[in-house]
Amino acid sequence: MHTLDSSQFPFFSSSFSNLQNQMILQISFHYNKPQLCIITSILFLVTTVLSSNPKFEACSPRSCGTGPPIKYPFWIPYEQEPFCGYPHFEITCMDKNPILRTSNYEFLVKDIYYSNSSFTVADIDVYEDKCPVPLYNYTFDQTPFTYSSENWNLSFFYNCSTEPIDYPTYEVDCAKNATHFSFADFHKEALEHKNYSLNECQFMVTTPLNINEAVNISSLLRMNYTEILKTGFVLNWTAPHCHYCEKSGGRC
Ligand SMILES: *[C@@H]1O[C@H](CO)[C@@H](O)[C@H](O)[C@H]1NC(C)=O
Ligand SMILES: *[C@@H]1O[C@H](CO)[C@@H](O)[C@H](O)[C@H]1NC(C)=O
Ligand SMILES: *[C@@H]1O[C@H](CO)[C@@H](O)[C@H](O)[C@H]1NC(C)=O
Ligand SMILES: *[C@@H]1O[C@H](CO)[C@@H](O)[C@H](O)[C@H]1NC(C)=O
Ligand SMILES: *[C@@H]1O[C@H](CO)[C@@H](O)[C@H](O)[C@H]1NC(C)=O
Ligand SMILES: *[C@@H]1O[C@H](CO)[C@@H](O)[C@H](O)[C@H]1NC(C)=O
Ligand SMILES: *[C@@H]1O[C@H](CO)[C@@H](O)[C@H](O)[C@H]1NC(C)=O
Ligand SMILES: *[C@@H]1O[C@H](CO)[C@@H](O)[C@H](O)[C@H]1NC(C)=O
Ligand SMILES: *[C@@H]1O[C@H](CO)[C@@H](O)[C@H](O)[C@H]1NC(C)=O
């Protein structure tokens, strides 16, 4: 049995509790004291009954089968109600994998850190394309997401007329032809110091990566670019916190 006394937790962010507060406010303007007391008691009963079930259960954490538990501010349509999360945080389950779609990209959600509002994603193209190279710089304008400062940058150079000499890069064989080369590198600046001119390349893209987790430098050097892209990167999110609600045993 979970009952919530919203008056004790002013930040409890359920729309129902707001409604209740509004009603109490309105009632107190229109009724004298004895009536107010009765009506408040009824309201309290109604609140107790309502908050102990459907809304609370509707937002219990779910999973797609693999991956992290999905809860506020994330939510799974048809499994959880829209009030359990925010529109940008909609998770779709595909073959038991949690997928987040932004207007331009589709990401596999690898992990969610609810404690510091961040999560790890990898572009699903990396898993599906034959030549899974990033062809654009991600932008997260008009979303609640920002790059975490934990990420490194991996730069991809495409259709370059020469290859850097004496400099270790990740080969991108699937994006080259008989006369032009493509490669990836973590240190764009170091490459420039080697007098490699990026003008030799048709275009360049930078992708963030979080390789701190579980990957050390020596194993990083042995990986190829697809394996590296699959480690994914970290995004921070901003959404109203619901610590107060959860501490009280509720869910927002
Ligand atoms: C967020 O939390 C996760 C898991 O505890 C941790 O691995 C990660 O480093 C944290 N991120 C930041 C920026 O503190
Ligand atoms: C992301 O969150 C972490 C931990 O909360 C913080 O250290 C870091 O500065 C944040 N990065 C951005 C770009 O907001
Ligand atoms: C990666 O690139 C972004 C955007 O260009 C920049 O803000 C960030 O500082 C870079 N991170 C590192 C670790 O160089
Ligand atoms: C490199 O050039 C070839 C031939 O013009 C083109 O088909 C290919 O898409 C280019 N590669 C990239 C990654 O743009
Ligand atoms: C390779 O790609 C470059 C860049 O698009 C193009 O200029 C060149 O003609 C291509 N070479 C061959 C042999 O197809
Ligand atoms: C790069 O070019 C500059 C100017 O031409 C030269 O002084 C420098 O030694 C070169 N650096 C390397 C690493 O070749
Ligand atoms: C990606 O961003 C870099 C600068 O960080 C820029 O030089 C490059 O042209 C951009 N690539 C594309 C395809 O927009
Ligand atoms: C790096 O990681 C690999 C595999 O994850 C492990 O075998 C190796 O001992 C590690 N090396 C160092 C220096 O930690
Ligand atoms: C990268 O390495 C993985 C695992 O060793 C392998 O399955 C994959 O074919 C490699 N990809 C490329 C592009 O070399």
Side-chain angles (χ1 to χ4, degrees):
M1 185 72 172
H2 306 270
T3 52
L4 300 170
D5 182 358
S6 57
S7 62
Q8 254 181 292
F9 301 96
F11 298 98
F12 176 55
S13 64
S14 125
S15 53
F16 178 76
S17 124
N18 290 340
L19 187 69
Q20 186 206 357
N21 290 340
Q22 273 171 21
M23 285 169 77
I24 290 175
L25 259 177
Q26 279 173 6
I27 288 161
S28 56
F29 282 125
H30 291 105
Y31 295 86
N32 61 29
K33 276 214 172 119
Q35 278 168 314
L36 176 64
C37 185
I38 293 164
I39 289 169
T40 318
S41 306
I42 294 169
L43 262 179
F44 178 76
L45 270 173
V46 172
T47 313
T48 310
V49 169
L50 275 182
S51 61
S52 66
N53 54 65
K55 282 206 166 185
F56 186 80
E57 291 309 323
C59 296
S60 61
R62 300 290 160 90
S63 154
C64 283
T66 63
I70 307 298
K71 57 178 189 173
Y72 177 93
F74 295 90
W75 63 289
I76 309 176
Y78 308 114
E79 296 252 339
Q80 290 160 321
E81 298 294 332
F83 54 69
C84 301
Y86 284 97
H88 280 110
F89 293 84
E90 221 177 280
I91 299 286
T92 310
C93 296
M94 265 172 58
D95 299 332
K96 299 196 170 180
N97 292 309
I99 306 294
L100 178 90
R101 292 196 173 88
T102 71
S103 46
N104 300 314
Y105 325 111
E106 278 186 295
F107 295 114
L108 170 70
V109 177
K110 298 179 59 129
D111 221 334
I112 304 179
Y113 311 112
Y114 291 100
S115 58
N116 55 25
S117 302
S118 63
F119 62 122
T120 307
V121 295
D123 199 313
I124 63 166
D125 287 351
V126 182
Y127 297 87
E128 294 180 345
D129 284 9
K130 267 219 155 92
C131 187
V133 291
L135 295 176
Y136 34 67
N137 296 313
Y138 297 114
T139 58
F140 293 99
D141 299 345
Q142 279 153 24
T143 73
F145 311 127
T146 53
Y147 286 143
S148 161
S149 45
E150 285 181 274
N151 295 313
W152 291 28
N153 292 325
L154 180 64
S155 300
F156 282 80
F157 304 91
Y158 297 114
N159 282 335
C160 310
S161 51
T162 64
E163 227 175 346
I165 307 158
D166 289 341
Y167 191 79
T169 58
Y170 294 98
E171 286 184 33
V172 184
D173 282 347
C174 63
K176 75 175 188 186
N177 67 15
T179 54
H180 286 67
F181 307 93
S182 296
F183 58 90
D185 188 72
F186 277 107
H187 304 286
K188 189 175 77 166
E189 295 74 19
L191 204 53
E192 282 164 335
H193 283 143
K194 279 273 191 176
N195 286 349
Y196 185 81
S197 166
L198 302 180
N199 295 331
E200 315 234 14
C201 306
Q202 212 173 50
F203 74 106
M204 187 213 121
V205 159
T206 296
T207 189
L209 285 170
N210 178 31
I211 49 183
N212 300 330
E213 274 175 42
V215 182
N216 57 45
I217 296 292
S218 57
S219 56
L220 185 66
L221 291 173
R222 282 195 303 272
M223 290 162 82
N224 60 38
Y225 75 94
T226 4
E227 293 172 293
I228 292 174
L229 288 174
K230 282 179 186 173
T231 62
F233 58 92
V234 181
L235 291 173
N236 284 3
W237 79 73
T238 40
H241 285 292
C242 65
H243 292 176
Y244 293 98
C245 174
E246 289 195 331
K247 265 187 196 155
S248 75
R251 293 191 188 115
C252 24

